[in-house]
Amino acid sequence: MKSTFAESICFDDKATHAMGAAFDEACSLLTRFAGTDAVRDLIARRIIEAAKAGERYQARLRSRALSGFFIEDILVPAISIAPEVPISAYALVPRAA
């Protein structure tokens, strides 16, 4: 197994692959901005920081890279952790004609 070093942190092949794929996806979603070296560098640094913190899932690495760009990451399904909003009782009663 080959390892890649980034700032004295070692990433295995699987992590490196996920990081590279997340970088490519994030850059493709930011086509208007990712042409600049500064933006590509920021994306890479965010992915490396997330990977250093233990993240290895490609979609979450990509989402972390995109945070702060004020775009919706359409590749990650949106879920709610909030309980169901109760429907008022009067909303269920039919109106009299």
Side-chain angles (χ1 to χ4, degrees):
M1 173 170 47
K2 185 179 146 194
S3 297
T4 304
F5 290 88
E7 299 175 17
S8 74
I9 301 293
C10 182
F11 299 109
D12 62 14
D13 288 339
K14 199 173 188 178
T16 304
H17 177 72
M19 292 166 68
F23 178 81
D24 291 340
E25 288 176 357
C27 288
S28 70
L29 289 170
L30 292 172
T31 54
R32 298 177 78 194
F33 309 106
T36 66
D37 290 339
V39 172
R40 292 173 68 83
D41 182 59
L42 178 61
I43 291 169
R45 281 189 282 125
R46 287 179 175 176
I47 289 173
I48 291 169
E49 288 301 314
K52 282 172 38 177
E55 184 60 65
R56 296 294 185 266
Y57 187 60
Q58 179 180 332
R60 287 191 290 258
L61 289 168
R62 180 191 61 243
S63 291
R64 294 279 293 275
L66 293 174
S67 66
F69 283 103
F70 302 108
I71 66 163
E72 186 176 334
D73 186 357
I74 58 172
L75 300 177
V76 175
I79 60 170
S80 175
I81 57 172
E84 292 292 324
V85 178
I87 299 173
S88 301
Y90 66 82
L92 301 175
V93 177
R95 296 171 84 187

